[in-house]
Amino acid sequence: METQETKSALATANRRVVRRLLLAVAAMFAFGFALAPLYDVLCQITGLNGKTGGRVAVARPVVVDETRTVTVEFVASLNAGAPWEFAPMVTRMAVHPGQYYQTRYLARNLTDQRLVGQAVPSVAPGPAARHFQKVECFCFNRQKFEPGEERAMPVTFIIDPELPPEVRTVTLSYTFFKLDDAGG
Amino acid sequence: MACNRIARGGVALGSVLAVWSAGARADFAVNMTPGVTAISREVYDLHMLIFWICVAIGAVVFGVMFWSIYHHRKSRGAVAAQFHESALVEVLWTIVPMLILVAMAVPATKTLIRMADARGADLTIKVTGYQWRWHYEYLNEGIDFFSTLATPQDQIHNTVPKDATYLLEVDRRLVVPVGKKIRILTTAADVIHSWWVPALGWKRDAIPGFINESWTLIEKPGVYRGQCAELCGQDHGFMPVVVDAVPEAEFQQWVANMKAKNLPAAQAANGGQPL
Amino acid sequence: MSIAAAPALHHEHDTHAGPPRGLGRWLFTTNHKDIGTLYLLFSLMMFFVGGSFALVIRAELFQPGLQIVDPHLFNQLTTLHALVMIFGAVMPAFVGLANWQVPIMIGAPDMALPRMNNWSFWILPFAFALLLSTLFLPGGGPAGGWTLYPPLALQTGQAFPFVILAIHMMGISSIMGAINVIATILNLRAPGMILMKMPLFVWTWLITAFLLIAVMPVLAGAVTMLLADKFFGTSFFNAAGGGDPVMFQHIFWFFGHPEVYIMILPAFGIISQIIPTFARKPLFGYASMVYATASIAFLSFIVWAHHMFTVGMPLAGELFFMYSTMLIAVPTGVKVFNWVSTMWRGSMTFETPMLFAIAFVILFTIGGFSGLMLAIAPADFQYHDTYFVVAHFHYVLVPGAVFSIMAGVYYWLPKWTGHMIDERLGRLHFWLSVVGVNVLFFPQHFLGLAGMPRRIPDYALQFTEFNMISSIGAFLFGFSQLLFLYNVIQTIRGGEPATDQVWEGARGLEWTLPSPTPYHTFTKAPVVE
Ligand SMILES: [Cu+2]
């Protein structure tokens, strides 16, 4: 028959297993959330989903590569329920890597209410995303619109000369979302 | 007795078949389409290659198994051997499958690399998924329109007979030229959709906020049909894709007609100045 | 939560007593056999609930056009069918089998944490009552698929918070069950029952339990983020706020792929018990079976994105996930080869459990072949989200996981009840099931290849014939399961008495116990040679 000691030793062993496993559960729960920032880092590195980085420093000295011309296409999309008119003012540009360019997107509030919108950039092909650097962009901030207001919103960008040589066309797409109060 | 039963079974089967062919196109398509692009054919070949490899492996493994089931049964007086391991065969059946996998991976990798190369496209079309229709925008031509299911509700609710293209017809088709490399950018306006035409050899998800790049080069004029492939809500089954691939000249004619019909807001092409 | 381990070796007050009587027995039981029974009965009930959803789906798909349900209800039924079958039928059935079998296979008196065992079961009925009640809420139940992809899942109406809560409850239940299995296996093995002597069912469950601990919390995290996006204004998956809906898919499938193995590894274990018994020959390659199981479990963490080849990953990502997925074929192949070698030169008989086991080996392998085809990324661009995928995972889950559960029940039921099953009825059930399941799912391969997307309530005319055949198979398969129910009830109520060994070739500790197993077993640990 089991003695009292073996019983309590077993209870201790069980408690130890439970404690460790609960710790593992907590860690994996946290890991699920940690995947969110990890994923963003991964996107920046790999251009997953054509996500672009945020603002880049302007001061970086760059050499303009006059020998290379890249076509940049500008695309606009409206999310469902975003009551704007939204379009690029220029649909394509021939650019040299290393040179700064500016273009503008035109947006008009189609309602008689004040609206707040947010543009979300995406670049295709994915591997070009991190070489498409925006110095100034209306997508860095929320955009407030008065009723019926029409506005041209600028984006200043530079194509990094390190853009993989096989890329000849880069598409910059903005999707305009309406932010409601809940959405911040 | 047995013959009689078989005969009766045959009659029953025959009448079921008759009912089928009366109501529907007796298609019985059992395989993937080789499609109408170089890529779709490559994908088809890859699919058939893996399929036959699987069939061969299955024939060997199940063959051995059924042989054993037949011969090594107690009712035939089989006496159980007691062996339970063999390093040699265990190593063998780890290594041989590895080699087979490598043989599959090589052509798959090559195809995947070709599919990823969207360079040198002649035109770019942006495809946007909506609940529940598609929006097409020809970026270089400044043409855009929605494409919505054209099958009448009466057919869906079984009050009138169904057309041959039931659920696969739209009010406005995506017209594209054959023999031209077409770059397709997919995105969505609400939830995730997926744009799929089997004859073109791939599908690509349309994700709100992001654009996805893919390409096709259709070799043969024709009408190619597909459907939304990602569950997108109630009418997910009712947002078909219809591609009308036409010769280049006909396509140019179509573009001219479309432009004449809806003169769009003047869009500046090829503009922009360095700062 | 006082998870303080109850002294498990024996309960002084009721060592010799049988079970208490009445409802209280089942509500408050901490006996592993009672809890195992509860799990199995609950799972059987959910199998019929989920199955009836499937039959409505197949009835709607019998012909083109909308006949029985509207598209919104159709989507609710597909979503709930998946959730009920995965979390309500298959997983609890394996937990039930573990509850019954793990202690008596390793010579333990009970599970290590009997009180927690009771809770982990009793959470489930509440979770599923909550989940199924959403069907009656305004706006209906969840209709965005069991994968809950945003933004679509966020369009769910009032049901949404209840669905998330139900998923949390199922997760907590599974995690507690897994902790219990691990503690039991690590701490309560009889003297001499070293790890590498454990029956394979115990081994596969140990590895499954670790998978559960690793991924159920990740699912909990993912659905919590969804909930926060819907109600607390966060933007984990909302592009407008800097999030990304594709990220949900990555997190979900990080859970979801190991989840697939959670539903198949215990099946491998059951089959590895049954085949040697009826071949009257030891399992071939025991050690390699253990290693293969462990490598499948490991690989399951690095293949998740093969569920999402079409989201537009960079080439390198697609290649990585394609290669790692293909690699899983190797350990899986090893298992199949080992089973066939176990049969080789055996002395086989074909009682019902063996029939199901053989059908498992063949039909699971067919599911494995289509899995290998799906691993090939360029071809997956065609297969993805079509009926080919539906056929694939149903081959793995129905004649795979579900057949293994039925094989296990037929195999161990005489031990549990002391009565042999009705063999003739069992064989009839087998043949109807095996014919039904193939008529049901095999044509779905053709449908998918011919271009039919999954999750659609209505389809183009060229898909009519195979859909009809598939629906006929569904009804054949579905109604055949009533034979299983009947056979199980009849065996519980009576039948030819079973010997202690039950099956001529059975080996292992559980077969040294009397049939039916006494309420308390191995209160004194046996010594393994
Ligand atoms: Cu859709």
Side-chain angles (χ1 to χ4, degrees):
Chain A
M1 284 306 277
E2 298 77 15
T3 60
Q4 206 57 42
E5 286 104 87
T6 57
K7 255 203 280 179
S8 74
L10 178 64
T12 318
N14 282 345
R15 253 196 300 274
R16 194 170 54 232
V17 170
V18 171
R19 208 166 32 236
R20 287 185 183 167
L21 292 178
L22 283 180
L23 219 63
V25 168
M28 288 312 290
F29 186 69
F31 175 71
F33 284 87
L35 282 174
L38 280 176
Y39 178 79
D40 282 343
V41 173
L42 200 73
C43 288
Q44 305 276 303
I45 299 170
T46 63
L48 202 67
N49 247 347
K51 265 196 184 175
T52 60
R55 191 190 307 262
V56 294
V58 195
R60 218 180 104 216
V62 276
V63 186
V64 179
D65 186 354
E66 298 274 4
T67 60
R68 191 171 167 203
T69 307
V70 177
T71 306
V72 179
E73 283 184 331
F74 298 95
V75 171
S77 304
L78 275 169
N79 197 52
W84 276 273
E85 233 171 53
F86 180 55
M89 296 181 72
V90 172
T91 55
R92 43 182 27 210
M93 272 188 193
V95 306
H96 298 305
Q99 170 92 47
Y100 288 101
Y101 295 88
Q102 189 178 61
T103 185
R104 286 182 297 173
Y105 273 66
L106 197 66
R108 189 157 67 89
N109 179 355
L110 297 177
T111 69
D112 51 7
Q113 272 144 26
R114 301 174 114 199
L115 292 178
V116 185
Q118 170 74 53
V120 175
S122 173
V123 167
R130 72 191 169 109
H131 302 285
F132 192 101
Q133 296 169 343
K134 300 185 289 304
V135 180
E136 192 52 66
C137 177
F138 59 95
C139 61
F140 292 157
N141 308 97
R142 293 172 195 170
Q143 300 292 327
K144 291 198 177 71
F145 281 80
E146 295 301 321
E149 182 186 346
E150 180 176 82
R151 189 156 82 233
M153 303 179 295
V155 49
T156 307
F157 65 91
I158 176 172
I159 299 272
D160 184 343
E162 278 158 37
L163 178 78
E166 65 272 15
V167 178
R168 284 179 242 149
T169 307
V170 177
T171 304
L172 173 65
S173 152
Y174 287 105
T175 307
F176 214 61
F177 288 76
K178 176 172 174 282
L179 294 183
D180 33 57
D181 297 328
Chain B
M1 252 302 274
C3 281
N4 211 341
R5 212 177 303 160
I6 290 168
R8 251 185 292 149
V11 171
L13 194 69
S15 52
V16 171
L17 283 173
V19 170
W20 281 333
S21 44
R25 247 176 32 196
D27 228 20
F28 283 109
V30 292
N31 204 359
M32 187 188 279
T33 165
V36 290
T37 71
I39 291 288
S40 71
R41 267 196 310 279
E42 263 182 55
V43 168
Y44 174 81
D45 291 341
L46 206 51
H47 156 74
M48 291 313 288
L49 171 73
I50 314 291
F51 172 73
W52 286 116
I53 290 176
C54 288
V55 168
I57 297 172
V60 172
V61 174
F62 299 149
V64 170
M65 190 170 141
F66 281 116
W67 200 89
S68 175
I69 286 174
Y70 184 75
H71 291 278
H72 305 145
R73 50 171 67 213
K74 199 182 172 203
S75 56
R76 284 176 64 92
V79 178
Q82 289 302 312
F83 67 87
H84 55 87
E85 53 192 3
S86 157
L88 176 69
V89 299
E90 290 181 65
V91 168
L92 266 182
W93 69 40
T94 310
I95 292 180
V96 172
M98 286 275 209
L99 296 178
I100 297 174
L101 288 179
V102 171
M104 292 177 181
V106 170
T109 305
K110 285 184 185 155
T111 304
L112 205 54
I113 290 172
R114 269 192 286 273
M115 291 176 106
D117 181 7
R119 279 175 299 163
D122 299 299
L123 76 156
T124 303
I125 299 173
K126 192 182 81 164
V127 175
T128 310
Y130 282 75
Q131 281 176 321
W132 290 276
R133 54 197 174 146
W134 294 101
H135 180 261
Y136 299 117
E137 186 178 344
Y138 294 69
L139 290 184
N140 314 4
E141 288 76 14
I143 296 169
D144 77 285
F145 55 88
F146 279 100
S147 175
T148 312
L149 177 74
T151 301
Q153 285 296 314
D154 291 349
Q155 292 190 16
I156 294 171
H157 290 101
N158 313 308
T159 49
V160 295
K162 296 176 175 38
D163 295 335
T165 56
Y166 177 69
L167 293 189
L168 294 178
E169 194 51 90
V170 291
D171 54 356
R172 264 174 289 188
R173 295 171 173 181
L174 179 69
V175 180
V176 295
V178 293
K180 295 275 171 190
K181 187 164 183 175
I182 306 164
R183 188 162 154 263
I184 294 184
L185 301 171
T186 43
T187 185
D190 33 49
V191 301
I192 301 175
H193 302 261
S194 188
W195 196 82
W196 181 34
V197 179
L200 306 191
W202 47 263
K203 65 175 70 71
R204 190 52 46 109
D205 289 357
I207 299 161
F210 301 94
I211 51 170
N212 244 328
E213 184 185 73
S214 43
W215 65 274
T216 189
L217 196 161
I218 302 174
E219 291 164 347
K220 226 176 77 191
V223 178
Y224 306 112
R225 296 169 199 273
Q227 283 175 273
C228 177
E230 177 68 50
L231 178 62
C232 58
Q234 171 166 304
D235 288 346
H236 164 54
F238 304 92
M239 47 184 293
V241 175
V242 183
V243 174
D244 200 350
V246 298
E248 166 71 4
E250 204 176 314
F251 175 70
Q252 292 306 342
Q253 185 60 45
W254 177 83
V255 168
N257 282 348
M258 288 298 283
K259 278 185 171 162
K261 249 190 276 176
N262 57 329
L263 267 178
Q267 269 173 324
N270 302 316
Q273 291 299 312
L275 284 181
Chain C
M1 213 163 45
S2 89
I3 312 171
L9 281 183
H10 70 227
H11 307 257
E12 270 98 54
H13 52 281
D14 62 2
T15 309
H16 307 289
R21 300 197 165 271
L23 191 65
R25 165 179 175 185
W26 300 105
L27 273 179
F28 305 113
T29 183
T30 55
N31 179 290
H32 74 100
K33 302 183 183 76
D34 281 354
I35 294 175
T37 305
L38 286 172
Y39 264 112
L40 287 169
L41 291 178
F42 177 77
S43 143
L44 190 59
M45 204 170 90
M46 286 297 128
F47 180 60
F48 283 106
V49 171
S52 59
F53 293 164
L55 289 187
V56 177
I57 291 168
R58 282 314 322 170
E60 174 58 53
L61 291 173
F62 184 71
Q63 290 176 61
L66 295 177
Q67 288 92 17
I68 300 169
V69 290
D70 66 86
H72 184 56
L73 182 56
F74 183 92
N75 289 345
Q76 294 171 49
L77 290 175
T78 51
T79 304
L80 287 174
H81 164 72
L83 288 171
V84 166
M85 286 305 202
I86 292 167
F87 295 101
V90 173
M91 290 170 70
F94 283 132
V95 181
L97 290 171
N99 258 292
W100 255 104
Q101 288 305 126
V102 167
I104 63 177
M105 287 173 117
I106 61 170
D110 202 312
M111 296 293 278
L113 311 158
R115 188 128 336 127
M116 191 162 91
N117 206 6
N118 174 291
W119 299 336
S120 55
F121 171 74
W122 278 109
I123 290 177
L124 280 182
F126 293 99
F128 280 89
L130 189 64
L131 180 68
L132 294 173
S133 68
T134 59
L135 269 176
F136 305 102
L137 286 176
W146 82 281
T147 48
L148 299 169
Y149 282 6
L152 182 63
L154 299 174
Q155 293 182 348
T156 310
Q158 291 183 16
F160 193 70
F162 299 106
V163 174
I164 303 296
L165 184 60
I167 290 175
H168 275 306
M169 289 163 75
M170 296 165 201
I172 289 170
S173 161
S174 305
I175 288 169
M176 294 205 300
I179 291 177
N180 217 336
V181 168
I182 294 173
T184 307
I185 297 175
L186 294 187
N187 293 343
L188 290 186
R189 273 171 291 128
M193 177 62 80
I194 56 168
L195 286 177
M196 287 309 278
K197 267 191 191 165
M198 293 196 308
L200 259 171
F201 178 67
V202 179
W203 252 119
T204 52
W205 239 113
L206 180 65
I207 292 169
T208 302
F210 278 109
L211 284 182
L212 280 165
I213 298 278
V215 300
M216 290 310 284
V218 176
L219 173 68
V223 297
T224 306
M225 286 185 251
L226 270 186
L227 194 73
D229 270 10
K230 174 124 173 137
F231 293 110
F232 308 128
T234 57
S235 290
F236 288 107
F237 310 126
N238 176 6
D244 184 344
V246 175
M247 183 174 79
F248 177 85
Q249 301 184 17
H250 282 286
I251 302 177
F252 182 87
W253 287 112
F254 184 85
F255 144 80
H257 200 80
E259 169 67 21
V260 171
Y261 291 104
I262 286 167
M263 292 191 285
I264 205 66
L265 294 185
F268 291 165
I270 295 170
I271 302 306
S272 304
Q273 301 297 134
I274 292 177
I275 291 181
T277 296
F278 295 95
R280 292 167 181 75
K281 185 162 158 281
L283 180 71
F284 187 87
Y286 172 89
S288 66
M289 281 297 212
V290 173
Y291 300 138
T293 310
S295 22
I296 291 174
F298 168 74
L299 286 173
S300 74
F301 286 103
I302 55 164
V303 299
W304 76 87
H306 66 215
H307 294 269
M308 26 191 306
F309 279 139
T310 61
V311 298
M313 269 179 283
L315 183 62
E318 272 168 354
L319 289 174
F320 173 81
F321 287 108
M322 174 168 84
Y323 297 150
S324 59
T325 306
M326 292 171 77
L327 217 48
I328 291 191
V330 174
T332 314
V334 165
K335 288 191 160 284
V336 174
F337 301 146
N338 280 344
W339 289 321
V340 173
S341 307
T342 306
M343 294 185 207
W344 187 254
R345 293 185 51 211
S347 172
M348 278 185 274
T349 51
F350 303 93
E351 287 88 343
T352 310
M354 182 62 162
L355 290 176
F356 274 100
I358 290 172
F360 172 95
V361 175
I362 297 168
L363 300 177
F364 170 79
T365 304
I366 291 177
F369 285 146
S370 55
L372 184 59
M373 296 171 80
L374 284 159
I376 309 296
D380 180 75
F381 294 150
Q382 286 279 35
Y383 308 137
H384 181 77
D385 264 339
T386 67
Y387 260 82
F388 190 78
V389 176
V390 176
H392 158 70
F393 67 73
H394 279 99
Y395 260 86
V396 175
L397 285 177
V398 184
V402 172
F403 272 24
S404 81
I405 293 165
M406 287 172 175
V409 170
Y410 279 132
Y411 181 55
W412 284 309
L413 200 59
K415 173 53 59 187
W416 302 337
T417 62
H419 306 131
M420 295 307 285
I421 55 162
D422 182 338
E423 191 59 38
R424 253 187 25 180
L425 205 58
R427 286 177 196 199
L428 179 66
H429 170 226
F430 168 76
W431 284 109
L432 289 176
S433 294
V434 87
V435 170
V437 91
N438 283 294
V439 175
L440 163 54
F441 294 120
F442 209 81
Q444 296 185 358
H445 291 112
F446 304 146
L447 286 172
L449 293 176
M452 178 170 164
R454 62 190 283 208
R455 294 168 161 172
I456 55 174
D458 191 6
Y459 48 82
L461 300 183
Q462 70 263 35
F463 305 127
T464 309
E465 290 81 9
F466 287 126
N467 269 298
M468 279 187 176
I469 298 173
S470 178
S471 292
I472 293 169
F475 279 86
L476 176 62
F477 178 76
F479 283 96
S480 309
Q481 302 320 308
L482 294 174
L483 290 178
F484 177 68
L485 180 67
Y486 177 78
N487 205 350
V488 167
I489 292 173
Q490 286 304 98
T491 309
I492 293 171
R493 294 176 55 182
E496 196 191 316
T499 61
D500 291 355
Q501 199 191 5
V502 182
W503 313 103
E504 190 187 38
R507 298 273 178 281
L509 280 180
E510 79 259 45
W511 309 108
T512 64
L513 292 168
S515 304
T517 41
Y519 196 55
H520 295 286
T521 43
F522 294 130
T523 46
K524 184 175 183 308
V527 177
V528 181
E529 74 269 27

